[in-house]
Amino acid sequence: NNPLLEDRVAAFYDLLGIPYTGASPLTLAICQRKALAKQILKAFRIPTPRYKLVKKKPVPKLTGLRYPLIVKPAWEDASAGVSDQAVVEDRIQLEKRVRMILAEYGQPALVEEFIDGRELGVSVMGNKNPRVLPIEEMDFSDLPPDRRAIITFESKWNPLSEVFHMGKLVCPAKLPRSVQRRVKKVALQTYQVLGCRDYARIDMRLDKNDNLFVLEVNPNPDLTEGVAFVASAAAAGISFSEVLRVIVEEAIKRASPPGNKASSKKADAPVEA
């Protein structure tokens, strides 16, 4: 139950020669470590919010960052550690939140500028000619006025919370064509730069001036029918079974040397990493 070991599972399959779907161990490891992924994005001039990594107390002076800030665990996924209190408005709130992350999660705190705007999810599928699927937007208009317009852990996973699944997924998102083109271009570049394969979802935010920021990259995203990646595929006319078929076939191609039909027939059925 340790998300940091996810890449080891894929590496184990590689050592045993077992074909599997989704990202390589290196890509899984990089994307799990949010600050490292952001360094690579910055190196390729892909826009991402300014940030600092805080590894221990006391919290240093965060020069160059402007409030509000969002504080989250640096090595978690599935919105773990993200709540309304993750967005901080001043130094006192910042120090309290960082102390909580260091103590409860035993890992660095990622502190980045909070982008107040629209939340987008962009799914990409394939390898040789990857396809960017219709853009999703999370509509927060149903949230109570005292709640932050963010996807929190409780809104995703706690059915007893008042905000559980309160956000509405809109796909395709209603965006001007010029913005759509920019979003898809950045998503494709991000997918390739971080070495994603088969399928991935890129989380982004669009601020009030339509400036675009990549928040996180999710290799091997959730494939639940009707949700996120699969909902985006459905908007493109791709059925759930077709999504699974394409992903599995990409894994089989990697297991079979080019032009070797016999090897292709003998390839074991891939598993999902």
Side-chain angles (χ1 to χ4, degrees), residues 6 53 57 64 96 126-127 192 197 207 209 231 257 265:
E6 180 182 35
L53 194 64
K57 299 180 288 185
K96 181 180 179 181
N127 296 317
Q192 294 170 324
R197 68 186 188 194
D207 74 10
N209 297 315
K265 288 178 182 178

PDB file of all heavy atoms in Angstrom, residues 6 53 57 64 96 126-127 192 197 207 209 231 257 265:
ATOM      1  N   GLU A   6       5.144   1.748  -6.862  1.00  0.00           N
ATOM      2  CA  GLU A   6       4.448   1.428  -8.112  1.00  0.00           C
ATOM      3  C   GLU A   6       5.421   1.112  -9.244  1.00  0.00           C
ATOM      4  O   GLU A   6       5.238   0.157  -9.996  1.00  0.00           O
ATOM      5  CB  GLU A   6       3.557   2.616  -8.507  1.00  0.00           C
ATOM      6  CG  GLU A   6       2.781   2.397  -9.793  1.00  0.00           C
ATOM      7  CD  GLU A   6       1.956   3.625 -10.169  1.00  0.00           C
ATOM      8  OE1 GLU A   6       2.412   4.755  -9.924  1.00  0.00           O
ATOM      9  OE2 GLU A   6       0.862   3.434 -10.713  1.00  0.00           O
ATOM     10  N   LEU A  53      10.060  23.019  -3.026  1.00  0.00           N
ATOM     11  CA  LEU A  53       9.959  21.752  -2.302  1.00  0.00           C
ATOM     12  C   LEU A  53      10.496  21.975  -0.897  1.00  0.00           C
ATOM     13  O   LEU A  53      11.645  22.392  -0.728  1.00  0.00           O
ATOM     14  CB  LEU A  53      10.766  20.678  -3.029  1.00  0.00           C
ATOM     15  CG  LEU A  53      10.519  19.224  -2.625  1.00  0.00           C
ATOM     16  CD1 LEU A  53       9.088  18.803  -2.957  1.00  0.00           C
ATOM     17  CD2 LEU A  53      11.522  18.303  -3.314  1.00  0.00           C
ATOM     18  N   LYS A  57      11.488  21.172   8.530  1.00  0.00           N
ATOM     19  CA  LYS A  57      11.228  22.417   9.260  1.00  0.00           C
ATOM     20  C   LYS A  57      12.564  23.068   9.626  1.00  0.00           C
ATOM     21  O   LYS A  57      13.564  22.361   9.764  1.00  0.00           O
ATOM     22  CB  LYS A  57      10.412  22.130  10.530  1.00  0.00           C
ATOM     23  CG  LYS A  57       9.053  21.512  10.262  1.00  0.00           C
ATOM     24  CD  LYS A  57       8.304  21.265  11.548  1.00  0.00           C
ATOM     25  CE  LYS A  57       8.904  20.116  12.333  1.00  0.00           C
ATOM     26  NZ  LYS A  57       8.134  19.766  13.530  1.00  0.00           N
ATOM     27  N   GLY A  64       9.842  34.489  -4.453  1.00  0.00           N
ATOM     28  CA  GLY A  64       9.369  34.318  -5.823  1.00  0.00           C
ATOM     29  C   GLY A  64       7.994  33.706  -5.945  1.00  0.00           C
ATOM     30  O   GLY A  64       7.445  33.626  -7.044  1.00  0.00           O
ATOM     31  N   LYS A  96       1.599  25.899   9.054  1.00  0.00           N
ATOM     32  CA  LYS A  96       0.750  24.860   9.657  1.00  0.00           C
ATOM     33  C   LYS A  96       0.550  23.696   8.683  1.00  0.00           C
ATOM     34  O   LYS A  96       0.647  22.524   9.063  1.00  0.00           O
ATOM     35  CB  LYS A  96      -0.601  25.474  10.042  1.00  0.00           C
ATOM     36  CG  LYS A  96      -1.549  24.494  10.708  1.00  0.00           C
ATOM     37  CD  LYS A  96      -2.875  25.167  11.070  1.00  0.00           C
ATOM     38  CE  LYS A  96      -3.842  24.172  11.708  1.00  0.00           C
ATOM     39  NZ  LYS A  96      -5.154  24.806  12.038  1.00  0.00           N
ATOM     40  N   GLY A 126      -2.034   6.011 -27.112  1.00  0.00           N
ATOM     41  CA  GLY A 126      -1.247   5.537 -28.245  1.00  0.00           C
ATOM     42  C   GLY A 126       0.220   5.871 -28.111  1.00  0.00           C
ATOM     43  O   GLY A 126       0.643   6.550 -27.178  1.00  0.00           O
ATOM     44  N   ASN A 127       1.004   5.390 -29.084  1.00  0.00           N
ATOM     45  CA  ASN A 127       2.452   5.560 -29.010  1.00  0.00           C
ATOM     46  C   ASN A 127       3.058   6.153 -30.279  1.00  0.00           C
ATOM     47  O   ASN A 127       3.563   7.263 -30.255  1.00  0.00           O
ATOM     48  CB  ASN A 127       3.105   4.211 -28.684  1.00  0.00           C
ATOM     49  CG  ASN A 127       2.692   3.709 -27.304  1.00  0.00           C
ATOM     50  OD1 ASN A 127       2.655   4.472 -26.346  1.00  0.00           O
ATOM     51  ND2 ASN A 127       2.338   2.444 -27.202  1.00  0.00           N
ATOM     52  N   GLN A 192       4.876  13.169 -24.356  1.00  0.00           N
ATOM     53  CA  GLN A 192       6.091  12.666 -24.995  1.00  0.00           C
ATOM     54  C   GLN A 192       7.342  12.979 -24.186  1.00  0.00           C
ATOM     55  O   GLN A 192       8.231  12.137 -24.055  1.00  0.00           O
ATOM     56  CB  GLN A 192       6.189  13.244 -26.418  1.00  0.00           C
ATOM     57  CG  GLN A 192       5.067  12.720 -27.318  1.00  0.00           C
ATOM     58  CD  GLN A 192       4.987  13.434 -28.658  1.00  0.00           C
ATOM     59  OE1 GLN A 192       5.231  14.633 -28.750  1.00  0.00           O
ATOM     60  NE2 GLN A 192       4.620  12.697 -29.709  1.00  0.00           N
ATOM     61  N   ARG A 197       3.412   6.198 -22.260  1.00  0.00           N
ATOM     62  CA  ARG A 197       3.096   5.298 -23.363  1.00  0.00           C
ATOM     63  C   ARG A 197       1.748   4.623 -23.109  1.00  0.00           C
ATOM     64  O   ARG A 197       1.288   4.515 -21.972  1.00  0.00           O
ATOM     65  CB  ARG A 197       4.202   4.262 -23.570  1.00  0.00           C
ATOM     66  CG  ARG A 197       4.347   3.264 -22.460  1.00  0.00           C
ATOM     67  CD  ARG A 197       5.550   2.350 -22.669  1.00  0.00           C
ATOM     68  NE  ARG A 197       5.561   1.277 -21.687  1.00  0.00           N
ATOM     69  CZ  ARG A 197       6.600   0.494 -21.441  1.00  0.00           C
ATOM     70  NH1 ARG A 197       7.735   0.675 -22.103  1.00  0.00           N
ATOM     71  NH2 ARG A 197       6.515  -0.473 -20.543  1.00  0.00           N
ATOM     72  N   ASP A 207      -5.946  29.810 -16.187  1.00  0.00           N
ATOM     73  CA  ASP A 207      -6.286  30.927 -15.313  1.00  0.00           C
ATOM     74  C   ASP A 207      -7.273  31.882 -15.986  1.00  0.00           C
ATOM     75  O   ASP A 207      -7.709  31.640 -17.121  1.00  0.00           O
ATOM     76  CB  ASP A 207      -5.023  31.647 -14.812  1.00  0.00           C
ATOM     77  CG  ASP A 207      -4.334  32.508 -15.876  1.00  0.00           C
ATOM     78  OD1 ASP A 207      -4.904  32.718 -16.963  1.00  0.00           O
ATOM     79  OD2 ASP A 207      -3.203  32.974 -15.602  1.00  0.00           O
ATOM     80  N   ASN A 209      -6.944  34.596 -17.359  1.00  0.00           N
ATOM     81  CA  ASN A 209      -6.460  35.228 -18.595  1.00  0.00           C
ATOM     82  C   ASN A 209      -6.137  34.198 -19.672  1.00  0.00           C
ATOM     83  O   ASN A 209      -5.426  34.496 -20.630  1.00  0.00           O
ATOM     84  CB  ASN A 209      -5.218  36.074 -18.299  1.00  0.00           C
ATOM     85  CG  ASN A 209      -5.525  37.219 -17.351  1.00  0.00           C
ATOM     86  OD1 ASN A 209      -6.530  37.909 -17.511  1.00  0.00           O
ATOM     87  ND2 ASN A 209      -4.669  37.403 -16.349  1.00  0.00           N
ATOM     88  N   ALA A 231     -14.300   8.326 -20.061  1.00  0.00           N
ATOM     89  CA  ALA A 231     -15.349   9.280 -20.456  1.00  0.00           C
ATOM     90  C   ALA A 231     -14.865  10.145 -21.617  1.00  0.00           C
ATOM     91  O   ALA A 231     -15.620  10.452 -22.545  1.00  0.00           O
ATOM     92  CB  ALA A 231     -15.723  10.161 -19.263  1.00  0.00           C
ATOM     93  N   PRO A 257       9.137  -8.799 -31.241  1.00  0.00           N
ATOM     94  CA  PRO A 257      10.063  -8.116 -32.148  1.00  0.00           C
ATOM     95  C   PRO A 257       9.393  -7.819 -33.480  1.00  0.00           C
ATOM     96  O   PRO A 257       8.579  -8.614 -33.957  1.00  0.00           O
ATOM     97  CB  PRO A 257      11.200  -9.130 -32.327  1.00  0.00           C
ATOM     98  CG  PRO A 257      11.092 -10.045 -31.145  1.00  0.00           C
ATOM     99  CD  PRO A 257       9.637 -10.085 -30.791  1.00  0.00           C
ATOM    100  N   LYS A 265       2.653 -14.587 -31.762  1.00  0.00           N
ATOM    101  CA  LYS A 265       1.645 -15.571 -31.373  1.00  0.00           C
ATOM    102  C   LYS A 265       1.928 -16.149 -29.991  1.00  0.00           C
ATOM    103  O   LYS A 265       1.033 -16.501 -29.246  1.00  0.00           O
ATOM    104  CB  LYS A 265       1.617 -16.708 -32.401  1.00  0.00           C
ATOM    105  CG  LYS A 265       1.007 -16.299 -33.734  1.00  0.00           C
ATOM    106  CD  LYS A 265       1.058 -17.445 -34.720  1.00  0.00           C
ATOM    107  CE  LYS A 265       0.497 -17.029 -36.086  1.00  0.00           C
ATOM    108  NZ  LYS A 265       0.597 -18.117 -37.062  1.00  0.00           N
TER     109      LYS A 265
END
